[in-house]
Amino acid sequence: GMLGGPMEVVRKYCANTRVNTRVCANCQTEESEGQRLLRCTRCGDVWYCNVNCQREHWPTHKSICKSKGIKIQQSSGDLFATSFNRRGMSNGNSFRKPDEVAVNERFWIKVQGNSEHAPLYIYDQTRTFSMFLEPGKPGFRELWEKVHAERASMGRKCHVKASFDAQGECTVFPHTATLHQW
């Protein structure tokens, strides 16, 4: 086919969305045995062929990369401590890093809510991490705005990235909001 034509763009896009396939954020080169990509050390969300590709892409990437994220805290009270999941009733606050996630590694969480006056329910795919974030707490407003803006879910849910540091503190990254991740 035509190099750089529409089908090439579609192929590269599909490659970029496949699980475990990394693509350079600048030139779209796929990772392979002969071409290992390097991760952005600041945010860990994008990959590059080399320093030159990273520098070239920086003007596009810097506003997202520099987003620090917001530290969220476990609810101190037990007002919202009980929730229901597929396995029945459980404690809604399991504020810990999922086992398969490394310290400071970003992972996807789901944020659900129905009102800016009610707590947001936040959890990872394994439900190892689950919590309620109450109105007025750090991160609530930013996450609620992302949930509410997600038209495809009628403003009830979205996914964002989060991470846990070595001290067990959780940071959420509202700028990564998207509808579906799992």
Side-chain angles (χ1 to χ4, degrees):
M2 186 170 58
L3 194 60
M7 289 314 294
E8 180 71 7
V9 171
V10 169
R11 188 187 67 74
K12 296 244 179 179
Y13 173 79
C14 290
N16 196 15
T17 58
R18 273 200 318 260
V19 177
N20 297 327
T21 299
R22 296 179 183 139
V23 176
C24 176
N26 185 54
C27 72
Q28 313 310 306
T29 297
E30 290 181 33
E31 184 172 61
S32 64
E33 286 298 317
Q35 174 69 51
R36 289 284 171 222
L37 299 183
L38 307 169
R39 181 180 255 170
C40 173
T41 56
R42 183 182 290 210
C43 71
D45 284 342
V46 296
W47 298 82
Y48 296 103
C49 293
N50 52 45
V51 173
N52 291 336
C53 273
Q54 186 176 16
R55 282 189 188 131
E56 226 174 272
H57 191 247
W58 182 243
T60 303
H61 180 58
K62 72 179 174 185
S63 64
I64 292 170
C65 187
K66 286 184 174 182
S67 278
K68 293 284 188 218
I70 302 163
K71 287 200 185 303
I72 59 172
Q73 296 173 347
Q74 185 174 12
S75 173
S76 54
D78 62 350
L79 181 60
F80 302 104
T82 302
S83 68
F84 291 89
N85 64 29
R86 280 174 248 155
R87 294 174 215 83
M89 199 179 328
S90 72
N91 183 321
N93 284 330
S94 173
F95 196 83
R96 67 182 184 90
K97 178 183 73 59
D99 298 333
E100 70 280 359
V101 174
V103 169
N104 294 321
E105 179 185 351
R106 293 187 184 189
F107 63 100
W108 289 105
I109 58 172
K110 187 181 280 188
V111 182
Q112 291 181 278
N114 290 318
S115 163
E116 63 186 310
H117 306 293
L120 294 171
Y121 183 42
I122 303 171
Y123 55 96
D124 75 308
Q125 189 170 9
T126 66
R127 307 287 171 114
T128 305
F129 167 68
S130 64
M131 66 171 286
F132 288 95
L133 185 63
E134 297 160 13
K137 298 285 185 186
F140 180 89
R141 171 66 42 208
E142 295 85 348
L143 290 173
W144 167 250
E145 286 171 1
K146 296 299 183 182
V147 167
H148 188 63
E150 190 53 71
R151 296 288 172 236
S153 73
M154 293 180 283
R156 297 217 167 102
K157 67 182 177 185
C158 71
H159 289 80
V160 301
K161 285 199 168 183
S163 68
F164 273 90
D165 66 16
Q167 289 72 44
E169 292 194 339
C170 183
T171 301
V172 294
F173 302 91
H175 70 276
T176 62
T178 183
L179 179 57
H180 290 296
Q181 278 307 320
W182 74 72

